[in-house]
């Protein structure tokens, strides 16, 4: 399989989190790691591209073929990236259709499958947990 620059790596998840510059992002990452792991039952893996050190943590994986292509790609089901300005959650849902969760979640923004948070303290963690659980139920392992 080739094509995507972002791939599952053998990097240590703990080492990745320990090397996040912001202590609060480290703490939020550890909480997300625990929360997503408990909900999904999947082991976290560091995903990224060694040429462009921009890594994230993904849970589960699957193979897909793009429309009109025969090339297969591997991707994770649910993931998150602790970026400098935001925590980005990658969810297998069209978030524009998740108003029941997002209206009560708290301070956040979103794009189709990405939820952007400044910090976990800005959101209701129980609603976030329910959104992740709903995401998990939408995919096959």
């Amino acid at each position: 399989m080739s094509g995507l620059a972002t791939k599952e790596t053998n990097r240590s998840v703990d080492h990745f989190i320990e090397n996040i510059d912001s202590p609060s992002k480290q703490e939020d990452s550890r909480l997300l790691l625990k929360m997503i792991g408990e909900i999904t039952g999947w082991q976290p893996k560091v995903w990224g591209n060694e040429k462009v050190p921009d890594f994230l943590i993904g849970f589960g994986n699957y193979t897909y073929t793009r429309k009109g292509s025969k090339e297969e790609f591997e991707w994770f089901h649910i993931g998150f990236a602790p970026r400098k300005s935001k925590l980005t959650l990658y969810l297998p849902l069209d978030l524009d259709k998740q108003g029941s969760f997002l209206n009560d979640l708290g301070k956040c923004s979103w794009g189709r499958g990405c939820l952007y948070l400044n910090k976990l303290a800005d959101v209701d963690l129980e609603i976030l947990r329910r959104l992740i659980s709903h995401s998990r139920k939408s995919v096959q392992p």
Side-chain angles (χ1 to χ4, degrees), residues 70-87:
K70 293 181 181 181
E71 190 173 11
E72 291 185 333
F73 301 94
E74 241 185 71
W75 199 245
F76 53 87
H77 287 293
I78 296 174
F80 72 92
R83 304 291 182 227
K84 286 187 181 185
S85 62
K86 305 244 185 239
L87 286 167

Side-chain angles (χ1 to χ4, degrees), residues 42-71:
W42 296 325
Q43 293 300 310
K45 300 286 184 174
V46 175
W47 287 67
N49 179 348
E50 298 295 338
K51 293 180 183 176
V52 181
D54 191 20
F55 296 95
L56 53 98
I57 296 173
F59 294 79
N61 63 14
Y62 65 99
T63 302
Y64 70 96
T65 305
R66 289 182 179 163
K67 186 177 179 179
S69 172
K70 293 181 181 181
E71 190 173 11

